[in-house]
C-alpha cells in the first residue's frame, strides 16, 4: 500500500439500513434462459427468515451515491514542456525548454494533503465491498434454503498431491516480478513547505544507493524530507547523494540501510530490440508495487521534457519507448526485460490529457512511455556516487531549440551573448561555424537541436563521433572528440 497518504483515517462503514417488512413468500422463479439479462432480480428470502442483526457484515448496505465511484482525480498541475526557445549550447549551456509534442515528465504522484487524497478512494472501495458483500450474502442464503438437499457444488483444487503453492517457471512475468519487487522502493519527497509527491526507485548496490529520476527527489532538495519504502513495509529515511537535471537521473542513499539489499541486475540497453517484452514496476497514482507489461515500441526516440515552470531546465534523452502502462508515480522505476534485467528508467509519458503549460488535468497512460536507457543512467549514477555532480559530454556549440525537421542549426550567438562556438572547443577544432546545420551524429539522423543534445548525452566525454553537417548547400563530414562539462549550470 502506498504510504503517501499516511495519517488519513479510513471512513467508518455505513450503518446497516432498516430491515424492510417481511414480504409474502414468493413463488419459485423459473430458471433464467440463455440470453437473459444478468441483472435479473434476486429472489427474496423466504418468509420468516431472521432479520440480519445490527452490524451483520453480510447485511445489504445502501448503494453508494451516484457518481461516487470512481472518485475524481486530484486537481494537480500536469507536467508539460515549455515553449520553444531561441537556443542552447549542445551540452555546454541552457536555453528555453524545447516543446517536444508535450512529452511531460512521468511526474511523481503529488502527495495528498491531510483529510483528502486516497482517503476518498479507500472509502469508496469500502462502500463497494459492503454492497457486494450484502448482495452476495443475501443470494447465498436464498440458494442455500432452496437447495438444502442438493449437496454442495463447490469444486476445490486437489490437495492430495501435497502441492501447497503454484510454481512459476523462470522467465515468466510472475517469476520476474517476484524477484524484482523486493529491490524496488516507493519514494516520498517532501519540501520544507510541505509540498511533495511519490515516485519510485530501485536498489543499485549493497551500500544502500537507490537510483531514481531527478524530478522525483527535486522537492526534497534544500532541506526537505525523503523516505523510501520497500514492499515489505519497511521504511527508511534517505538523502540525496547527487542529481542531474539534464539527464533526469538522481541517486539517493538509505540511512542505516539493511544488510540484505539485493541490487537489480543491469542489462544492456544497446542490445534491446523493438518488440522485446518489457516489465515496468512503480507506484502509479500512489499504488505502490504495481507491475505492468508491454514491449519496446521504438528505440532512440528523442524526448525533451520539463515541468513547465519558468525556472525549470529541460531534460533530454534518446529514449526507449514502451507501451507498458506507466503513470504519475512510476517515475524513476525500473523498466525490465524478460529476464528481469533493468534496461531503462521510466521517466516520461505522452498523454492525450497533457494540456500543456498551465493545464490542471492529471495526465495518464495512453501507451506512450519513455525510459532513459540504462547504459546512460548507469554512467550518470556512477558519477553521482563518485563526485556528487553530473558530467555531460559536449561539442562546445550552441544550437537552436526551435521545432525543426531539417537538422540542428548552430546559432549566431550563445547563451548570455557568448560565442556560439566555444573557442578551442571540440566544434571549433573540427571547423564548425555559426549557421552550419548538423544532420547526423554517427549513424543517427539529427532533425533538431534537442535530438542532437540527446544523442550527444548517450556518449561519454572523450568519445570520438562523426558529425555530418550542411554549409551553403554542401554537405561535409568531420570527426571530433567530445569534451566535458561538470554540473547542471
Amino acid at each position: 500500500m502506498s504510504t503517501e497518504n499516511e495519517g488519513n483515517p479510513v471512513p467508518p462503514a455505513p450503518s446497516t439500513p432498516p430491515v424492510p417488512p417481511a414480504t409474502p413468500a414468493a413463488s419459485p422463479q423459473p430458471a433464467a434462459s440463455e440470453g437473459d439479462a444478468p441483472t435479473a432480480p434476486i429472489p427474496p428470502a423466504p418468509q420468516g427468515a431472521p432479520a440480519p442483526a445490527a452490524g451483520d457484515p453480510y447485511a445489504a448496505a445502501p448503494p453508494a451515491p451516484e457518481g461516487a465511484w470512481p472518485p475524481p482525480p486530484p486537481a494537480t498541475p500536469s507536467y508539460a514542456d515549455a515553449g520553444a526557445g531561441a537556443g542552447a549550447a549542445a551540452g555546454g549551456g541552457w536555453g528555453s525548454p524545447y516543446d517536444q509534442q508535450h512529452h511531460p515528465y512521468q511526474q511523481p504522484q503529488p502527495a495528498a494533503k491531510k483529510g483528502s487524497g486516497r482517503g476518498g478512494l479507500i472509502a469508496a472501495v469500502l462502500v463497494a465491498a459492503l454492497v457486494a458483500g450484502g448482495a452476495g450474502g443475501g443470494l447465498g442464503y436464498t440458494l442455500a434454503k432452496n437447495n438444502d438437499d442438493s449437496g454442495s457444488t463447490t469444486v476445490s483444487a486437489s490437495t492430495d498431491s501435497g502441492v501447497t503453492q503454484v510454481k512459476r517457471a523462470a522467465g515468466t512475468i510472475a517469476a520476474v516480478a517476484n524477484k524484482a519487487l523486493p529491490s524496488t522502493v516507493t519514494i516520498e519527497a517532501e519540501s520544507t513547505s510541505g509540498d511533495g509527491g511519490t515516485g519510485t526507485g530501485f536498489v543499485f548496490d549493497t551500500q544502500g544507493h537507490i537510483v531514481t529520476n531527478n524530478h522525483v527527489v527535486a522537492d526534497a532538495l534544500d532541506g526537505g524530507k525523503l523516505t523510501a519504502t520497500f514492499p515489505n513495509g519497511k521504511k527508511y529515511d534517505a538523502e540525496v547523494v547527487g542529481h542531474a537535471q539534464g539527464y533526469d537521473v538522481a541517486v539517493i542513499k538509505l540511512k542505516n540501510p539493511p544488510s540484505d539489499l539485493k541490487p537489480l541486475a543491469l542489462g544492456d540497453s544497446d542490445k534491446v530490440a523493438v518488440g522485446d517484452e518489457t516489465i515496468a514496476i512503480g507506484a502509479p497514482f500512489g499504488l505502490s508495487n504495481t507491475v505492468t507489461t508491454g514491449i519496446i515500441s521504438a528505440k532512440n526516440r528523442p524526448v525533451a521534457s520539463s515541468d513547465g515552470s519558468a525556472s525549470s531546465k529541460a531534460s533530454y534523452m534518446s529514449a526507449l519507448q514502451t507501451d507498458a502502462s506507466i503513470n504519475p508515480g512510476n517515475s524513476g522505476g525500473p523498466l525490465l526485460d524478460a529476464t528481469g534485467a533493468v534496461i531503462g528508467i521510466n521517466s516520461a509519458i505522452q498523454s492525450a490529457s497533457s494540456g500543456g503549460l498551465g493545464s490542471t488535468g492529471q495526465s495518464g497512460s495512453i501507451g506512450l512511455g519513455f525510459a532513459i536507457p540504462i547504459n546512460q543512467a548507469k554512467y550518470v549514477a556512477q558519477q553521482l556516487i563518485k563526485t556528487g555532480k553530473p558530467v555531460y559530454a559536449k561539442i562546445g556549440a550552441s544550437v537552436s531549440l526551435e521545432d525543426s525537421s531539417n537538422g540542428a542549426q548552430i546559432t549566431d550567438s550563445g547563451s548570455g551573448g557568448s560565442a556560439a562556438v566555444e573557442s578551442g572547443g571540440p566544434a571549433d577544432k573540427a571547423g564548425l561555424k555559426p549557421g552550419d546545420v548538423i544532420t547526423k551524429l554517427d549513424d543517427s539522423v539529427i532533425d533538431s537541436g534537442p535530438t542532437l543534445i540527446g544523442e550527444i548525452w548517450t556518449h561519454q566525454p572523450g568519445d570520438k563521433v562523426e558529425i555530418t553537417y550542411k554549409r551553403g548547400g554542401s554537405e561535409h563530414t568531420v570527426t571530433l572528440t567530445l569534451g566535458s562539462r561538470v554540473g547542471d549550470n
Side-chain angles (χ1 to χ4, degrees):
M1 175 176 287
S2 169
T3 54
E4 66 169 340
N5 293 291
E6 279 192 4
N8 290 342
V10 178
S15 60
T16 304
V19 179
T23 57
S27 58
Q29 300 294 321
S33 62
E34 185 175 355
D36 282 350
T39 55
I42 297 171
Q47 185 174 5
D56 183 356
Y58 295 100
E66 183 177 356
W69 181 259
T76 53
S78 172
Y79 283 80
D81 308 301
W94 296 98
S96 300
Y98 173 69
D99 186 354
Q100 183 73 7
Q101 298 179 338
H102 298 301
H103 293 306
Y105 280 142
Q106 178 47 37
Q107 69 265 36
Q109 169 68 5
K113 298 185 182 299
K114 291 185 177 180
S116 64
R118 284 186 59 237
L121 173 62
I122 295 172
V125 172
L126 180 60
V127 171
L130 288 173
V131 171
L139 176 62
Y141 176 82
T142 301
L143 293 180
K145 288 291 291 184
N146 292 341
N147 296 281
D148 284 343
D149 301 327
S150 62
S152 173
T153 57
T154 303
V155 178
S156 301
S158 173
T159 57
D160 294 340
S161 62
V163 177
T164 58
Q165 64 181 18
V166 177
K167 292 185 178 180
R168 292 168 176 86
T172 62
I173 293 171
V176 169
N178 183 62
K179 184 176 181 180
L181 274 168
S183 297
T184 62
V185 296
T186 298
I187 298 173
E188 294 180 49
E190 183 178 331
S191 68
T192 53
S193 63
D195 295 328
T198 301
T200 309
F202 62 91
V203 177
F204 188 69
D205 59 28
T206 58
Q207 284 71 49
H209 290 110
I210 305 292
V211 172
T212 185
N213 283 144
N214 171 76
H215 70 267
V216 167
V217 304
D219 284 323
L221 301 174
D222 302 323
K225 182 181 179 181
L226 197 65
T227 62
T229 305
F230 285 84
N232 61 8
K234 293 183 178 179
K235 178 184 287 190
Y236 297 84
D237 290 331
E239 59 185 354
V240 177
V241 172
H243 61 104
Q245 189 164 21
Y247 291 122
D248 197 21
V249 173
V251 176
I252 66 175
K253 186 174 183 181
L254 306 178
K255 297 179 180 179
N256 302 314
S259 59
D260 58 348
L261 288 175
K262 295 182 180 180
L264 289 182
L266 305 184
D268 186 347
S269 51
D270 290 340
K271 295 181 180 179
V272 170
V274 172
D276 282 351
E277 291 181 316
T278 57
I279 302 169
I281 299 179
F285 295 101
L287 300 174
S288 301
N289 316 316
T290 295
V291 177
T292 55
T293 63
I295 62 169
I296 293 292
S297 304
K299 296 179 60 177
N300 304 316
R301 186 71 79 190
V303 174
S305 56
S306 75
D307 63 9
S309 65
S311 60
S312 175
K313 297 175 181 177
S315 298
Y316 301 95
M317 68 182 94
S318 182
L320 296 175
Q321 180 182 328
T322 180
D323 66 347
S325 180
I326 55 177
N327 286 285
N330 275 100
S331 301
L335 184 68
L336 310 171
D337 63 16
T339 70
V342 181
I343 54 175
I345 300 176
N346 299 317
S347 181
I349 59 173
Q350 175 153 348
S351 173
S353 63
S354 297
L357 194 60
S359 169
T360 59
Q362 185 76 48
S363 59
S365 173
I366 58 172
L368 295 174
F370 304 96
I372 303 165
I374 194 59
N375 290 6
Q376 176 183 3
K378 176 183 177 181
Y379 163 75
V380 176
Q382 290 173 336
Q383 290 294 323
L384 294 176
I385 292 172
K386 183 178 180 180
T387 67
K389 296 181 179 180
V391 179
Y392 296 91
K394 69 174 186 177
I395 64 170
S398 179
V399 296
S400 172
L401 298 180
E402 293 181 356
D403 194 2
S404 169
S405 60
N406 299 321
Q409 182 173 16
I410 299 178
T411 56
D412 293 330
S413 62
S415 178
S418 61
V421 178
E422 178 186 332
S423 179
D428 185 34
K429 292 179 179 179
L432 294 174
K433 298 179 180 181
D436 290 347
V437 179
I438 298 173
T439 58
K440 290 183 69 176
L441 189 152
D442 290 333
D443 294 328
S444 298
V445 174
I446 303 300
D447 59 6
S448 66
T451 302
L452 175 62
I453 295 172
E455 283 297 326
I456 290 172
W457 286 355
T458 64
H459 292 78
Q460 299 179 18
D463 286 353
K464 293 183 182 296
V465 296
E466 191 175 79
I467 298 289
T468 300
Y469 66 96
K470 291 181 178 179
R471 178 189 297 170
S474 300
E475 188 171 88
H476 307 271
T477 300
V478 295
T479 299
L480 60 78
T481 302
L482 296 174
S484 65
R485 173 172 61 83
V486 179
D488 281 319
N489 297 323

